[in-house]
mmCIF file of all heavy atoms in Angstrom:
data_model
loop_
_atom_site.group_PDB
_atom_site.id
_atom_site.type_symbol
_atom_site.label_atom_id
_atom_site.label_comp_id
_atom_site.label_asym_id
_atom_site.label_seq_id
_atom_site.Cartn_x
_atom_site.Cartn_y
_atom_site.Cartn_z
ATOM 1 N N MET A 773 20.612 -7.555 -42.503
ATOM 2 C CA MET A 773 21.258 -7.593 -41.210
ATOM 3 C C MET A 773 20.209 -7.974 -40.124
ATOM 4 O O MET A 773 19.084 -7.433 -40.176
ATOM 5 C CB MET A 773 21.811 -6.150 -40.831
ATOM 6 C CG MET A 773 22.408 -6.127 -39.464
ATOM 7 S SD MET A 773 23.115 -4.565 -39.121
ATOM 8 C CE MET A 773 24.636 -4.650 -40.060
ATOM 9 N N ARG A 775 18.184 -8.353 -36.591
ATOM 10 C CA ARG A 775 17.870 -7.216 -35.596
ATOM 11 C C ARG A 775 18.671 -7.310 -34.329
ATOM 12 O O ARG A 775 18.936 -6.217 -33.744
ATOM 13 C CB ARG A 775 16.427 -7.411 -35.244
ATOM 14 C CG ARG A 775 15.486 -7.018 -36.366
ATOM 15 C CD ARG A 775 14.141 -7.300 -36.212
ATOM 16 N NE ARG A 775 13.402 -7.052 -37.532
ATOM 17 C CZ ARG A 775 12.168 -7.054 -37.751
ATOM 18 N NH1 ARG A 775 11.364 -7.200 -36.771
ATOM 19 N NH2 ARG A 775 11.711 -6.827 -38.895
ATOM 20 N N ALA A 779 20.536 -4.069 -32.772
ATOM 21 C CA ALA A 779 20.362 -3.708 -31.365
ATOM 22 C C ALA A 779 21.685 -3.628 -30.656
ATOM 23 O O ALA A 779 21.980 -2.712 -29.909
ATOM 24 C CB ALA A 779 19.461 -4.699 -30.671
ATOM 25 N N TYR A 781 24.613 -2.955 -32.071
ATOM 26 C CA TYR A 781 25.313 -1.733 -32.513
ATOM 27 C C TYR A 781 24.838 -0.550 -31.810
ATOM 28 O O TYR A 781 25.629 0.360 -31.393
ATOM 29 C CB TYR A 781 25.070 -1.535 -34.018
ATOM 30 C CG TYR A 781 26.013 -2.382 -34.913
ATOM 31 C CD1 TYR A 781 25.584 -2.779 -36.156
ATOM 32 C CD2 TYR A 781 27.252 -2.805 -34.489
ATOM 33 C CE1 TYR A 781 26.359 -3.545 -36.990
ATOM 34 C CE2 TYR A 781 28.151 -3.525 -35.308
ATOM 35 C CZ TYR A 781 27.659 -3.931 -36.549
ATOM 36 O OH TYR A 781 28.412 -4.730 -37.305
ATOM 37 N N ILE A 782 23.536 -0.377 -31.676
ATOM 38 C CA ILE A 782 23.013 0.826 -31.045
ATOM 39 C C ILE A 782 23.380 0.864 -29.588
ATOM 40 O O ILE A 782 23.492 1.870 -28.939
ATOM 41 C CB ILE A 782 21.482 0.953 -31.199
ATOM 42 C CG1 ILE A 782 21.167 1.035 -32.746
ATOM 43 C CG2 ILE A 782 20.831 2.158 -30.531
ATOM 44 C CD1 ILE A 782 21.802 2.285 -33.467
ATOM 45 N N TYR A 784 26.073 0.619 -28.433
ATOM 46 C CA TYR A 784 27.335 1.298 -28.273
ATOM 47 C C TYR A 784 27.231 2.793 -27.985
ATOM 48 O O TYR A 784 28.235 3.499 -27.942
ATOM 49 C CB TYR A 784 28.226 1.144 -29.535
ATOM 50 C CG TYR A 784 28.677 -0.336 -29.771
ATOM 51 C CD1 TYR A 784 28.758 -0.825 -31.070
ATOM 52 C CD2 TYR A 784 28.991 -1.144 -28.687
ATOM 53 C CE1 TYR A 784 29.205 -2.115 -31.248
ATOM 54 C CE2 TYR A 784 29.382 -2.471 -28.893
ATOM 55 C CZ TYR A 784 29.518 -2.954 -30.220
ATOM 56 O OH TYR A 784 29.925 -4.221 -30.463
ATOM 57 N N ILE A 785 26.022 3.292 -27.962
ATOM 58 C CA ILE A 785 25.873 4.733 -27.726
ATOM 59 C C ILE A 785 26.609 5.148 -26.471
ATOM 60 O O ILE A 785 26.442 4.480 -25.454
ATOM 61 C CB ILE A 785 24.395 5.107 -27.607
ATOM 62 C CG1 ILE A 785 23.704 5.032 -29.032
ATOM 63 C CG2 ILE A 785 24.139 6.541 -27.124
ATOM 64 C CD1 ILE A 785 22.282 5.331 -29.070
ATOM 65 N N ASP A 786 27.305 6.265 -26.579
ATOM 66 C CA ASP A 786 28.135 6.717 -25.456
ATOM 67 C C ASP A 786 27.298 7.182 -24.288
ATOM 68 O O ASP A 786 26.220 7.635 -24.398
ATOM 69 C CB ASP A 786 28.940 7.908 -25.998
ATOM 70 C CG ASP A 786 30.166 8.131 -25.187
ATOM 71 O OD1 ASP A 786 30.017 8.635 -24.021
ATOM 72 O OD2 ASP A 786 31.248 7.711 -25.607
ATOM 73 N N ASP A 787 27.887 6.935 -23.065
ATOM 74 C CA ASP A 787 27.147 7.290 -21.862
ATOM 75 C C ASP A 787 26.716 8.735 -21.822
ATOM 76 O O ASP A 787 25.629 9.070 -21.330
ATOM 77 C CB ASP A 787 28.026 7.051 -20.643
ATOM 78 C CG ASP A 787 28.280 5.571 -20.359
ATOM 79 O OD1 ASP A 787 27.645 4.745 -21.118
ATOM 80 O OD2 ASP A 787 28.987 5.219 -19.397
ATOM 81 N N TYR A 789 25.596 10.578 -24.119
ATOM 82 C CA TYR A 789 24.338 10.761 -24.882
ATOM 83 C C TYR A 789 23.129 10.211 -24.109
ATOM 84 O O TYR A 789 21.992 10.694 -24.185
ATOM 85 C CB TYR A 789 24.413 10.177 -26.289
ATOM 86 C CG TYR A 789 25.497 10.853 -27.083
ATOM 87 C CD1 TYR A 789 26.430 10.117 -27.761
ATOM 88 C CD2 TYR A 789 25.663 12.240 -27.081
ATOM 89 C CE1 TYR A 789 27.437 10.745 -28.460
ATOM 90 C CE2 TYR A 789 26.722 12.799 -27.743
ATOM 91 C CZ TYR A 789 27.574 12.127 -28.469
ATOM 92 O OH TYR A 789 28.589 12.666 -29.131
ATOM 93 N N GLU A 791 23.066 10.112 -20.858
ATOM 94 C CA GLU A 791 22.945 11.038 -19.778
ATOM 95 C C GLU A 791 22.096 12.286 -20.260
ATOM 96 O O GLU A 791 21.364 12.836 -19.520
ATOM 97 C CB GLU A 791 24.298 11.465 -19.220
ATOM 98 C CG GLU A 791 24.289 12.286 -17.982
ATOM 99 C CD GLU A 791 23.556 11.618 -16.804
ATOM 100 O OE1 GLU A 791 23.715 10.382 -16.675
ATOM 101 O OE2 GLU A 791 22.923 12.279 -15.979
ATOM 102 N N GLU A 792 22.375 12.655 -21.514
ATOM 103 C CA GLU A 792 21.652 13.778 -22.080
ATOM 104 C C GLU A 792 20.180 13.528 -22.054
ATOM 105 O O GLU A 792 19.382 14.453 -21.774
ATOM 106 C CB GLU A 792 22.149 13.939 -23.540
ATOM 107 C CG GLU A 792 21.678 15.179 -24.286
ATOM 108 C CD GLU A 792 22.228 15.321 -25.639
ATOM 109 O OE1 GLU A 792 22.260 14.337 -26.455
ATOM 110 O OE2 GLU A 792 22.647 16.416 -26.003
ATOM 111 N N PHE A 794 18.638 11.357 -19.985
ATOM 112 C CA PHE A 794 18.174 11.333 -18.527
ATOM 113 C C PHE A 794 17.943 12.830 -18.112
ATOM 114 O O PHE A 794 16.919 13.135 -17.456
ATOM 115 C CB PHE A 794 19.221 10.772 -17.702
ATOM 116 C CG PHE A 794 19.490 9.297 -17.939
ATOM 117 C CD1 PHE A 794 20.734 8.681 -17.960
ATOM 118 C CD2 PHE A 794 18.400 8.479 -18.241
ATOM 119 C CE1 PHE A 794 21.009 7.381 -18.166
ATOM 120 C CE2 PHE A 794 18.600 7.090 -18.490
ATOM 121 C CZ PHE A 794 19.861 6.608 -18.418
ATOM 122 N N HIS A 796 17.360 15.450 -19.905
ATOM 123 C CA HIS A 796 16.252 16.086 -20.488
ATOM 124 C C HIS A 796 14.954 15.585 -19.894
ATOM 125 O O HIS A 796 14.051 16.417 -19.673
ATOM 126 C CB HIS A 796 16.247 15.714 -22.019
ATOM 127 C CG HIS A 796 14.997 16.058 -22.713
ATOM 128 N ND1 HIS A 796 14.680 17.357 -23.069
ATOM 129 C CD2 HIS A 796 13.903 15.280 -22.974
ATOM 130 C CE1 HIS A 796 13.541 17.340 -23.662
ATOM 131 N NE2 HIS A 796 13.020 16.094 -23.549
ATOM 132 N N LYS A 797 14.854 14.324 -19.633
ATOM 133 C CA LYS A 797 13.596 13.809 -19.051
ATOM 134 C C LYS A 797 13.362 14.463 -17.695
ATOM 135 O O LYS A 797 12.234 14.665 -17.316
ATOM 136 C CB LYS A 797 13.693 12.309 -18.911
ATOM 137 C CG LYS A 797 13.515 11.616 -20.290
ATOM 138 C CD LYS A 797 13.243 10.116 -20.104
ATOM 139 C CE LYS A 797 12.933 9.492 -21.461
ATOM 140 N NZ LYS A 797 12.237 8.259 -21.411
ATOM 141 N N ARG A 800 12.111 17.903 -18.099
ATOM 142 C CA ARG A 800 10.765 17.838 -18.600
ATOM 143 C C ARG A 800 9.763 17.556 -17.472
ATOM 144 O O ARG A 800 8.682 18.142 -17.428
ATOM 145 C CB ARG A 800 10.636 16.785 -19.714
ATOM 146 C CG ARG A 800 9.383 16.742 -20.404
ATOM 147 C CD ARG A 800 9.036 17.911 -21.298
ATOM 148 N NE ARG A 800 7.690 17.859 -21.766
ATOM 149 C CZ ARG A 800 7.037 18.852 -22.204
ATOM 150 N NH1 ARG A 800 7.618 20.131 -22.222
ATOM 151 N NH2 ARG A 800 5.807 18.812 -22.602
ATOM 152 N N ASP A 1045 6.347 1.841 -9.198
ATOM 153 C CA ASP A 1045 6.881 3.059 -9.787
ATOM 154 C C ASP A 1045 6.386 4.283 -9.009
ATOM 155 O O ASP A 1045 7.165 5.250 -8.877
ATOM 156 C CB ASP A 1045 6.445 3.170 -11.258
ATOM 157 C CG ASP A 1045 7.180 2.104 -12.129
ATOM 158 O OD1 ASP A 1045 8.083 1.444 -11.596
ATOM 159 O OD2 ASP A 1045 6.769 1.962 -13.274
ATOM 160 N N ILE A 1048 8.459 4.911 -6.054
ATOM 161 C CA ILE A 1048 9.874 5.366 -6.432
ATOM 162 C C ILE A 1048 9.740 6.861 -6.823
ATOM 163 O O ILE A 1048 10.540 7.691 -6.324
ATOM 164 C CB ILE A 1048 10.307 4.620 -7.734
ATOM 165 C CG1 ILE A 1048 10.493 3.130 -7.514
ATOM 166 C CG2 ILE A 1048 11.585 5.263 -8.270
ATOM 167 C CD1 ILE A 1048 11.756 2.741 -6.851
ATOM 168 N N ALA A 1063 13.442 6.866 1.121
ATOM 169 C CA ALA A 1063 13.616 5.826 0.131
ATOM 170 C C ALA A 1063 12.198 5.361 -0.223
ATOM 171 O O ALA A 1063 11.255 5.484 0.559
ATOM 172 C CB ALA A 1063 14.443 4.696 0.733
ATOM 173 N N SER A 1064 12.093 4.728 -1.399
ATOM 174 C CA SER A 1064 10.709 4.287 -1.755
ATOM 175 C C SER A 1064 10.174 3.247 -0.834
ATOM 176 O O SER A 1064 8.958 3.105 -0.642
ATOM 177 C CB SER A 1064 10.722 3.743 -3.186
ATOM 178 O OG SER A 1064 11.571 2.469 -3.164
ATOM 179 N N GLU B 1034 16.751 0.560 -5.650
ATOM 180 C CA GLU B 1034 15.918 1.635 -5.075
ATOM 181 C C GLU B 1034 15.921 2.809 -6.093
ATOM 182 O O GLU B 1034 14.934 3.390 -6.298
ATOM 183 C CB GLU B 1034 16.598 1.963 -3.775
ATOM 184 C CG GLU B 1034 16.019 3.113 -3.049
ATOM 185 C CD GLU B 1034 14.893 2.656 -2.132
ATOM 186 O OE1 GLU B 1034 14.711 1.447 -1.986
ATOM 187 O OE2 GLU B 1034 14.183 3.472 -1.753
ATOM 188 N N ASN B 1076 29.378 6.452 -15.083
ATOM 189 C CA ASN B 1076 27.979 6.834 -15.101
ATOM 190 C C ASN B 1076 27.170 5.513 -14.835
ATOM 191 O O ASN B 1076 26.928 4.766 -15.682
ATOM 192 C CB ASN B 1076 27.603 7.456 -16.459
ATOM 193 C CG ASN B 1076 26.186 7.941 -16.403
ATOM 194 O OD1 ASN B 1076 25.317 7.448 -15.674
ATOM 195 N ND2 ASN B 1076 25.861 8.973 -17.254
ATOM 196 N N ARG B 1078 24.126 5.047 -13.971
ATOM 197 C CA ARG B 1078 22.826 4.954 -14.530
ATOM 198 C C ARG B 1078 22.887 4.470 -16.007
ATOM 199 O O ARG B 1078 22.183 3.524 -16.450
ATOM 200 C CB ARG B 1078 22.138 6.311 -14.455
ATOM 201 C CG ARG B 1078 20.795 6.357 -15.201
ATOM 202 C CD ARG B 1078 19.955 7.539 -14.683
ATOM 203 N NE ARG B 1078 20.663 8.759 -14.759
ATOM 204 C CZ ARG B 1078 20.085 9.958 -14.468
ATOM 205 N NH1 ARG B 1078 18.905 9.978 -14.031
ATOM 206 N NH2 ARG B 1078 20.740 11.039 -14.598
ATOM 207 N N LYS B 1083 22.609 -0.097 -19.914
ATOM 208 C CA LYS B 1083 23.129 -0.848 -20.949
ATOM 209 C C LYS B 1083 23.013 -2.384 -20.661
ATOM 210 O O LYS B 1083 22.769 -3.227 -21.487
ATOM 211 C CB LYS B 1083 24.552 -0.429 -21.234
ATOM 212 C CG LYS B 1083 24.648 0.864 -22.014
ATOM 213 C CD LYS B 1083 26.076 1.227 -22.304
ATOM 214 C CE LYS B 1083 26.111 2.504 -23.102
ATOM 215 N NZ LYS B 1083 27.478 2.988 -23.437
ATOM 216 N N ARG B 1086 19.473 -3.439 -20.936
ATOM 217 C CA ARG B 1086 19.108 -3.472 -22.331
ATOM 218 C C ARG B 1086 19.583 -4.760 -23.030
ATOM 219 O O ARG B 1086 18.922 -5.445 -23.769
ATOM 220 C CB ARG B 1086 19.696 -2.253 -23.012
ATOM 221 C CG ARG B 1086 19.202 -1.992 -24.451
ATOM 222 C CD ARG B 1086 19.807 -0.748 -25.007
ATOM 223 N NE ARG B 1086 19.380 -0.479 -26.353
ATOM 224 C CZ ARG B 1086 19.975 -0.945 -27.396
ATOM 225 N NH1 ARG B 1086 20.979 -1.798 -27.332
ATOM 226 N NH2 ARG B 1086 19.469 -0.697 -28.630
ATOM 227 N N GLU B 1106 10.324 -4.214 -31.513
ATOM 228 C CA GLU B 1106 10.359 -4.711 -32.935
ATOM 229 C C GLU B 1106 10.388 -3.513 -33.849
ATOM 230 O O GLU B 1106 11.171 -3.468 -34.772
ATOM 231 C CB GLU B 1106 9.212 -5.666 -33.237
ATOM 232 C CG GLU B 1106 9.429 -7.052 -32.744
ATOM 233 C CD GLU B 1106 10.479 -7.723 -33.482
ATOM 234 O OE1 GLU B 1106 10.233 -8.043 -34.719
ATOM 235 O OE2 GLU B 1106 11.533 -7.930 -32.994
ATOM 236 N N LEU B 1112 15.602 0.546 -38.083
ATOM 237 C CA LEU B 1112 17.050 0.691 -38.175
ATOM 238 C C LEU B 1112 17.676 -0.368 -39.019
ATOM 239 O O LEU B 1112 18.749 -0.143 -39.637
ATOM 240 C CB LEU B 1112 17.664 0.601 -36.799
ATOM 241 C CG LEU B 1112 17.954 1.883 -36.015
ATOM 242 C CD1 LEU B 1112 18.782 1.505 -34.855
ATOM 243 C CD2 LEU B 1112 18.731 2.875 -36.896
ATOM 244 N N GLU B 1113 17.007 -1.436 -39.157
ATOM 245 C CA GLU B 1113 17.518 -2.498 -39.965
ATOM 246 C C GLU B 1113 17.855 -2.122 -41.475
ATOM 247 O O GLU B 1113 18.815 -2.534 -42.040
ATOM 248 C CB GLU B 1113 16.403 -3.722 -40.063
ATOM 249 C CG GLU B 1113 17.032 -5.045 -40.149
ATOM 250 C CD GLU B 1113 15.984 -6.090 -39.965
ATOM 251 O OE1 GLU B 1113 14.759 -5.747 -40.109
ATOM 252 O OE2 GLU B 1113 16.347 -7.219 -39.717
ATOM 253 N N PRO B 1117 24.005 -1.375 -43.264
ATOM 254 C CA PRO B 1117 24.303 -2.166 -44.445
ATOM 255 C C PRO B 1117 24.389 -3.688 -44.172
ATOM 256 O O PRO B 1117 24.586 -4.071 -43.046
ATOM 257 C CB PRO B 1117 25.700 -1.689 -44.958
ATOM 258 C CG PRO B 1117 26.305 -1.088 -43.689
ATOM 259 C CD PRO B 1117 25.191 -0.620 -42.781
ATOM 260 N N ASP B 1118 24.332 -4.435 -45.281
ATOM 261 C CA ASP B 1118 24.363 -5.890 -45.185
ATOM 262 C C ASP B 1118 25.660 -6.370 -45.876
ATOM 263 O O ASP B 1118 26.371 -5.572 -46.520
ATOM 264 C CB ASP B 1118 23.129 -6.489 -45.895
ATOM 265 C CG ASP B 1118 22.202 -7.080 -44.779
ATOM 266 O OD1 ASP B 1118 22.698 -7.518 -43.763
ATOM 267 O OD2 ASP B 1118 21.012 -7.114 -45.032
ATOM 268 N N ARG B 1122 28.769 -4.657 -44.259
ATOM 269 C CA ARG B 1122 28.546 -4.927 -42.790
ATOM 270 C C ARG B 1122 29.808 -5.507 -42.239
ATOM 271 O O ARG B 1122 30.237 -5.178 -41.157
ATOM 272 C CB ARG B 1122 27.335 -5.820 -42.630
ATOM 273 C CG ARG B 1122 27.113 -6.068 -41.121
ATOM 274 C CD ARG B 1122 26.202 -7.215 -40.872
ATOM 275 N NE ARG B 1122 26.801 -8.073 -39.882
ATOM 276 C CZ ARG B 1122 26.247 -9.285 -39.514
ATOM 277 N NH1 ARG B 1122 25.153 -9.675 -40.138
ATOM 278 N NH2 ARG B 1122 26.853 -9.976 -38.650
ATOM 279 N N ASP B 1126 31.989 -4.286 -39.202
ATOM 280 C CA ASP B 1126 32.379 -5.107 -38.025
ATOM 281 C C ASP B 1126 33.873 -4.969 -37.783
ATOM 282 O O ASP B 1126 34.298 -5.178 -36.601
ATOM 283 C CB ASP B 1126 32.059 -6.562 -38.339
ATOM 284 C CG ASP B 1126 30.652 -6.965 -38.019
ATOM 285 O OD1 ASP B 1126 30.048 -6.154 -37.265
ATOM 286 O OD2 ASP B 1126 30.152 -7.978 -38.494
ATOM 287 N N ASN B 1135 29.175 7.102 -32.419
ATOM 288 C CA ASN B 1135 29.254 8.288 -31.453
ATOM 289 C C ASN B 1135 29.729 9.515 -32.219
ATOM 290 O O ASN B 1135 29.349 10.670 -31.834
ATOM 291 C CB ASN B 1135 30.051 7.937 -30.200
ATOM 292 C CG ASN B 1135 29.307 6.999 -29.349
ATOM 293 O OD1 ASN B 1135 28.159 7.241 -29.040
ATOM 294 N ND2 ASN B 1135 29.943 5.856 -29.075
ATOM 295 N N ALA B 1139 27.543 12.905 -32.394
ATOM 296 C CA ALA B 1139 28.163 14.220 -32.012
ATOM 297 C C ALA B 1139 27.783 15.276 -33.013
ATOM 298 O O ALA B 1139 27.677 16.506 -32.622
ATOM 299 C CB ALA B 1139 29.662 14.051 -31.841
ATOM 300 N N ARG B 1146 19.391 14.208 -31.595
ATOM 301 C CA ARG B 1146 20.150 13.118 -30.935
ATOM 302 C C ARG B 1146 19.262 12.528 -29.831
ATOM 303 O O ARG B 1146 19.310 11.241 -29.606
ATOM 304 C CB ARG B 1146 21.447 13.751 -30.330
ATOM 305 C CG ARG B 1146 22.308 12.694 -29.730
ATOM 306 C CD ARG B 1146 23.789 13.294 -29.566
ATOM 307 N NE ARG B 1146 23.704 14.532 -28.782
ATOM 308 C CZ ARG B 1146 24.319 15.650 -29.042
ATOM 309 N NH1 ARG B 1146 25.000 15.794 -30.216
ATOM 310 N NH2 ARG B 1146 24.190 16.715 -28.297
ATOM 311 N N GLN B 1151 16.333 8.116 -27.606
ATOM 312 C CA GLN B 1151 15.107 7.606 -26.960
ATOM 313 C C GLN B 1151 14.511 6.437 -27.782
ATOM 314 O O GLN B 1151 14.017 5.525 -27.166
ATOM 315 C CB GLN B 1151 14.094 8.750 -26.835
ATOM 316 C CG GLN B 1151 14.404 9.677 -25.594
ATOM 317 C CD GLN B 1151 13.208 10.541 -25.254
ATOM 318 O OE1 GLN B 1151 13.198 11.718 -25.617
ATOM 319 N NE2 GLN B 1151 12.217 10.029 -24.599
ATOM 320 N N ASP B 1157 11.542 4.022 -26.691
ATOM 321 C CA ASP B 1157 10.410 4.812 -26.326
ATOM 322 C C ASP B 1157 9.481 4.894 -27.667
ATOM 323 O O ASP B 1157 9.989 4.847 -28.768
ATOM 324 C CB ASP B 1157 10.759 6.251 -26.008
ATOM 325 C CG ASP B 1157 11.333 6.218 -24.573
ATOM 326 O OD1 ASP B 1157 11.204 5.246 -23.837
ATOM 327 O OD2 ASP B 1157 11.961 7.264 -24.225
ATOM 328 N N GLU B 1164 5.682 13.608 -26.336
ATOM 329 C CA GLU B 1164 5.268 14.171 -25.048
ATOM 330 C C GLU B 1164 6.467 14.680 -24.261
ATOM 331 O O GLU B 1164 6.425 15.708 -23.648
ATOM 332 C CB GLU B 1164 4.471 13.104 -24.284
ATOM 333 C CG GLU B 1164 3.678 13.713 -23.138
ATOM 334 C CD GLU B 1164 2.993 12.678 -22.276
ATOM 335 O OE1 GLU B 1164 2.659 11.619 -22.770
ATOM 336 O OE2 GLU B 1164 2.750 12.972 -21.089
ATOM 337 N N ASP B 1165 7.525 13.850 -24.200
ATOM 338 C CA ASP B 1165 8.704 14.192 -23.510
ATOM 339 C C ASP B 1165 9.243 15.549 -24.006
ATOM 340 O O ASP B 1165 9.746 16.340 -23.230
ATOM 341 C CB ASP B 1165 9.802 13.172 -23.686
ATOM 342 C CG ASP B 1165 9.741 12.169 -22.495
ATOM 343 O OD1 ASP B 1165 9.008 12.407 -21.545
ATOM 344 O OD2 ASP B 1165 10.457 11.165 -22.557
ATOM 345 N N LEU B 1166 9.266 15.658 -25.341
ATOM 346 C CA LEU B 1166 9.859 16.861 -25.906
ATOM 347 C C LEU B 1166 8.897 18.067 -26.044
ATOM 348 O O LEU B 1166 9.309 19.134 -26.389
ATOM 349 C CB LEU B 1166 10.429 16.578 -27.254
ATOM 350 C CG LEU B 1166 11.737 15.691 -27.265
ATOM 351 C CD1 LEU B 1166 11.990 15.166 -28.623
ATOM 352 C CD2 LEU B 1166 12.905 16.395 -26.750
#
Side-chain angles (χ1 to χ4, degrees):
Chain A
M773 175 177 286
R775 289 173 191 190
Y781 278 151
I782 299 302
Y784 292 145
I785 288 181
D786 203 281
D787 288 359
Y789 299 131
E791 189 59 35
E792 189 176 44
F794 295 140
H796 168 75
K797 287 195 173 198
R800 184 71 188 159
D1045 290 349
I1048 298 273
S1064 66
Chain B
E1034 180 85 11
N1076 186 331
R1078 178 161 50 177
K1083 285 182 177 179
R1086 186 178 181 276
E1106 279 292 290
L1112 264 190
E1113 210 171 16
D1118 253 329
R1122 183 194 129 187
D1126 275 342
N1135 290 309
R1146 188 164 54 229
Q1151 279 194 261
D1157 286 345
E1164 195 185 334
D1165 265 353
L1166 289 167

